Amino acid sequence: MRTSIATVCLSGTLEEKLRAAALAGFDGVEIFEQDLVVSPDSPESIAQLARDLGISLDLYQPFRDFEGVDEAQLEKNLRRAETKFQLMTRLGMDTMLLCSNVGTATIDDDRVVVEQLRRLGDLAEKYNVDIAYEALAWGRFVSEYDHAWDLVRAADHRRIGTCLDSFHILSRSTDLDRILEIPGDKIFFLQLADAPALTMDVLSWSRHHRVFPGEGAWDLSDFLTRVAGTGYAGPVSLEVFNDSFRQADTNRTAVDGLRSLRWLEASVTARINGSVGANFTLDLQPLPEVTEPRGFNFVELSTDDLGALTRQMHQLGFRFIGFHHAKPHVQLWSRGDARIIVTEMIGPADVVGAARDEAASAPVSAKVPSQALVPLQGTFLRGIGFDVDDSTASMERASLLYAVEVPREQTRNDEVLRGVFAPDGSEVFFHQSNGSTPAWVSEFGTDEDERVSNIDHINLAQPSNHYDEAVLFYSSLLALHAQPSQDVPSPSGLVRSQVMSSADGGVRMPLNVSPSQSVEAAVRGTGSPAESYPEHVAIACEDIFTAASTAVERGLEFLQVPRNYYEDLAARFDLDEDLLQRLEQNNILYDRDERGQFLHFYTSTIGSVFFEMVERRSDYQGYGAPGAPVRLAAQHRRNAGL
């Protein structure tokens, strides 16, 4: 599948965008007119740069406000079009995007539009240029893809085809069945964008909130499958208008974009395998198939405050298993199947130097996230191990999706454990599980804890400018599902939260970003708790009150829940007075729905990490969302010394 990306997706100058697209691995680019207009380089120089980089210039765009006008205006528009054709000749480009008229159209007559398209086609013929006519979702008289196709078909000109843009089609919830009526060779270009489910005017939605495939709410696998069924074999291009993308690192955004297309390509390949009778000519390549992870194998925490962290874990009922046989600064704690590796940082750089050395020589498409290269300090969540069916396939898929392998110090007797960097700089490891105690545990000693306990969920903080990238990362690499995002009120504003989970709930990971979070504060292992959004590990237990009483006996410092919360709880639920008192005495929060009940308490924060103990009753599947503002406010007060 030939991949392309519009320069409007990326930050930087036109020259920087071309280099980033090439280094990421794209086959071509769309040149957005404004990028060329503001460039000091001549069209010939841009064309030469593209040749030197080994990428094609696939589409010049956009040409606006052409059709549906009177004769005098049409003549002006044709002269304007001819100057663009001449420019395209200098660039060595042969396809131009024509958007349906949104500003100057005065004639709502398809016969007039068809004739004007023919005249544009005749002019384009002189310059060997193809015109891809696209229905903008807010077009004055043409706003639906099927209407645009009807006009192109009626024009019946070899230089006039259509452009299908997923945003303009899906944002209007247009019936997709007519896509298969369009011959593939009359689709002159294909543009893809995903988007979150928002209720707003479509123009603002389009200009500011598009995201890459897999990062939004639409089923682009179905959309691309339909287009592939027409016999379309041209470039599959990204056209994403997004304020964050245009402020982010150019190279990183380009890699994220290509990852989205490779994931989408594999998704479509899986859909069409075995299909009979469809006209599939798009060259689609699969990825190694992976199933959802079964659960969390371990969590790794790094700390420069070992005493405080291990004391809190002991208070929660974790048992010390031992030190690693070859790494005395690494130890293992467990509570049933909840296993936490604690790495004491020897110095501020820790093992980051190895990652930095690798990053220096890696291609741009395989760069270690910048968050993984900063000096580390404090207490923070360093990595997560997932139980997977096939660790080799998981690692191969991750590599093909441009994730970078974590350099790992390993002795001869250690179990082979491989992983990659996540977008936030944390480490993701793939452990091939057979349901028994992992072999790597023996590197620390013997674990014979028979308690029924496991890691219920892990709450991760994300840098605000790479939040969407994280959603795609976990869905494409680990086959996790993105749940609808929610906004949670906190003293500093709304916290955006989106859960990534497996279908059976074995893996649950809320991803959070705070509105007050700066890029620096969002980097794990930097900043103070007051500056950064904390992360936490939630441990499941059978009896929350037994866990709380054990913690009290061992001196645990609970996160204090205000009396007002319990008065509100009494108003919302008809709870037994004894239960209500026990909840308040132990700082336990409570929620209930039609499926069950959820009881949980929080610890104080150490560095940027805290723990949550949870008990799920019956079939409760949530996370106690009504209590989240209470927790956030309590943490804010404590971290601010109030």
Side-chain angles (χ1 to χ4, degrees):
M1 182 176 90
R2 289 195 66 250
T3 59
S4 188
I5 184 170
T7 56
V8 74
C9 300
L10 305 170
S11 64
T13 66
L14 177 57
E15 295 76 13
E16 290 171 333
K17 296 178 183 191
L18 295 179
R19 292 188 178 94
L23 289 170
F26 281 95
D27 300 305
V29 298
E30 303 175 37
I31 289 189
F32 198 71
E33 184 173 61
Q34 184 177 353
D35 286 321
L36 179 65
V37 170
V38 301
S39 173
D41 289 340
S42 68
E44 290 80 6
S45 296
I46 296 299
Q48 184 60 53
L49 176 60
R51 287 192 292 270
D52 293 343
L53 293 171
I55 57 174
S56 57
L57 301 180
D58 295 332
L59 183 75
Y60 188 80
Q61 68 125 326
F63 190 72
R64 301 182 184 276
D65 296 334
F66 172 79
E67 81 290 9
V69 296
D70 59 31
E71 182 61 26
Q73 186 61 51
L74 179 64
E75 290 294 336
K76 294 178 182 178
N77 292 345
L78 287 170
R79 287 195 296 273
R80 181 163 54 92
E82 186 164 21
T83 63
K84 299 304 178 185
F85 297 156
Q86 293 166 351
L87 174 63
M88 291 173 63
T89 299
R90 298 171 64 192
L91 287 164
M93 302 180 71
D94 59 11
T95 307
M96 183 174 77
L97 179 70
L98 171 63
C99 300
S100 61
N101 200 322
V102 300
T104 65
T106 58
I107 303 173
D108 184 12
D109 187 330
D110 284 359
R111 292 171 300 176
V112 170
V113 173
V114 166
E115 179 57 31
Q116 292 178 349
L117 288 176
R118 287 195 188 114
R119 291 175 64 178
L120 181 63
D122 289 342
L123 180 61
E125 182 71 67
K126 299 177 181 179
Y127 294 91
N128 294 316
V129 168
D130 289 331
I131 306 297
Y133 183 52
E134 171 189 59
L136 294 184
W138 53 91
R140 191 160 191 177
F141 299 130
V142 180
S143 58
E144 303 277 5
Y145 83 92
D146 49 356
H147 187 188
W149 162 238
D150 288 338
L151 296 169
V152 167
R153 180 174 55 183
D156 192 23
H157 196 293
R158 78 186 201 99
R159 290 296 180 183
I160 302 296
T162 191
C163 171
L164 297 182
D165 183 313
S166 64
F167 182 88
H168 294 296
I169 297 171
L170 298 177
S171 64
R172 294 184 62 90
S173 301
T174 310
D175 188 335
L176 304 181
D177 288 345
R178 289 199 62 197
I179 288 178
L180 283 175
E181 295 180 14
I182 309 173
D185 60 0
K186 291 302 287 184
I187 302 174
F188 283 3
F189 210 75
L190 174 65
Q191 295 175 322
L192 297 179
D194 207 338
L198 299 174
T199 303
M200 62 189 312
D201 70 277
V202 69
L203 179 57
S204 297
W205 193 10
S206 172
R207 286 289 177 257
H208 303 285
H209 300 287
R210 299 193 196 192
V211 290
F212 290 137
E215 298 178 354
W218 291 335
D219 185 356
L220 288 186
S221 294
D222 174 65
F223 181 83
L224 183 54
T225 299
R226 292 171 183 268
V227 176
T230 68
Y232 177 76
V236 178
S237 188
L238 297 169
E239 188 195 39
V240 174
F241 297 84
N242 184 292
D243 296 342
S244 294
F245 289 7
R246 284 180 278 189
Q247 298 173 37
D249 179 83
T250 311
N251 292 327
R252 180 167 176 172
T253 304
V255 172
D256 186 34
L258 189 59
R259 177 185 294 130
S260 75
L261 286 182
R262 291 305 181 203
W263 164 79
L264 182 61
E265 177 182 22
S267 300
V268 174
T269 303
R271 276 188 188 233
I272 67 176
N273 279 345
S275 297
V276 178
N279 182 27
F280 296 116
T281 58
L282 197 62
D283 182 21
L284 298 169
Q285 300 299 317
L287 289 169
E289 292 188 16
V290 296
T291 56
E292 300 171 349
R294 297 196 194 112
F296 298 108
N297 190 263
F298 67 86
V299 170
E300 182 177 2
L301 303 178
S302 284
T303 184
D304 59 7
D305 193 355
L306 184 64
L309 178 61
T310 56
R311 182 166 54 253
Q312 192 174 85
M313 292 170 60
H314 168 70
Q315 292 163 344
L316 289 171
F318 278 83
R319 189 169 63 90
F320 175 66
I321 304 303
F323 295 97
H324 190 272
H325 67 89
K327 305 168 188 173
H329 62 292
V330 181
Q331 50 186 266
L332 174 64
W333 292 70
S334 77
R335 192 183 196 282
D337 288 332
R339 291 175 286 270
I340 296 183
I341 297 172
V342 177
T343 299
E344 183 179 17
M345 290 186 291
I346 307 303
D350 197 14
V351 297
V352 175
R356 183 180 285 111
D357 292 343
E358 177 174 319
S361 59
V364 171
S365 59
K367 285 292 187 185
V368 176
S370 58
Q371 285 89 339
L373 303 179
V374 297
L376 304 178
Q377 59 184 349
T379 298
F380 58 94
L381 194 153
R382 185 187 194 118
I384 303 172
F386 292 91
D387 283 326
V388 298
D389 288 336
D390 188 337
S391 59
T392 300
S394 295
M395 191 65 201
E396 183 182 355
R397 181 182 177 94
S399 298
L400 291 172
L401 288 169
Y402 313 106
V404 181
E405 185 165 3
V406 174
R408 183 172 179 267
E409 180 185 352
Q410 185 168 300
T411 64
R412 185 180 62 179
N413 297 323
D414 290 352
E415 180 183 3
V416 176
L417 193 61
R418 300 177 68 191
V420 297
F421 286 107
D424 62 1
S426 63
E427 300 164 0
V428 170
F429 289 96
F430 309 109
H431 180 270
Q432 191 158 318
S433 174
N434 57 12
S436 60
T437 301
W440 62 263
V441 172
S442 64
E443 299 167 17
F444 295 85
T446 302
D447 183 5
E448 298 178 347
D449 194 338
E450 296 181 353
R451 283 173 298 182
V452 179
S453 188
N454 61 279
I455 297 174
D456 183 86
H457 63 274
I458 299 173
N459 192 308
L460 296 174
Q462 298 298 307
S464 58
N465 56 336
H466 295 298
Y467 187 92
D468 297 311
E469 181 184 357
V471 172
L472 175 62
F473 176 88
Y474 287 109
S475 59
S476 63
L477 269 70
L478 286 162
L480 295 178
H481 307 283
Q483 307 304 317
S485 64
Q486 296 181 339
D487 291 331
V488 181
S490 79
S492 59
L494 292 178
V495 175
R496 180 183 174 191
S497 181
Q498 186 163 17
V499 174
M500 305 297 300
S501 65
S502 56
D504 64 0
V507 171
R508 301 180 176 99
M509 290 198 311
L511 305 179
N512 298 314
V513 60
S514 169
S516 63
Q517 211 170 36
S518 66
V519 174
E520 293 76 12
V523 175
R524 63 193 56 251
T526 64
S528 68
E531 295 174 324
S532 58
Y533 187 86
E535 303 179 305
H536 76 266
V537 180
I539 311 300
C541 67
E542 288 188 294
D543 186 339
I544 193 75
F545 292 107
T546 298
S549 63
T550 299
V552 169
E553 292 170 1
R554 295 179 178 181
L556 178 68
E557 186 177 355
F558 289 80
L559 186 67
Q560 294 298 307
V561 180
R563 169 69 181 166
N564 290 337
Y565 167 77
Y566 294 101
E567 292 183 358
D568 179 69
L569 198 63
R572 288 191 293 122
F573 299 110
D574 183 19
L575 297 179
D576 180 82
E577 184 61 31
D578 179 61
L579 173 59
L580 193 62
Q581 289 181 4
R582 294 180 72 193
L583 292 172
E584 183 173 2
Q585 289 168 359
N586 291 282
N587 288 281
I588 294 174
L589 289 85
Y590 177 91
D591 190 32
R592 184 177 70 202
D593 61 19
E594 67 280 359
R595 304 181 69 172
Q597 302 172 71
F598 188 68
L599 294 83
H600 56 134
F601 67 80
Y602 299 100
T603 69
S604 58
T605 303
I606 300 175
S608 61
V609 173
F610 64 96
F611 293 96
E612 178 185 9
M613 191 68 69
V614 310
E615 179 190 346
R616 294 179 183 272
R617 296 180 177 179
S618 299
D619 193 32
Y620 185 95
Q621 296 296 315
Y623 303 87
V630 178
R631 188 257 299 174
L632 288 165
Q635 287 174 327
H636 174 80
R637 287 194 302 273
R638 179 175 178 80
N639 292 335
L642 301 176

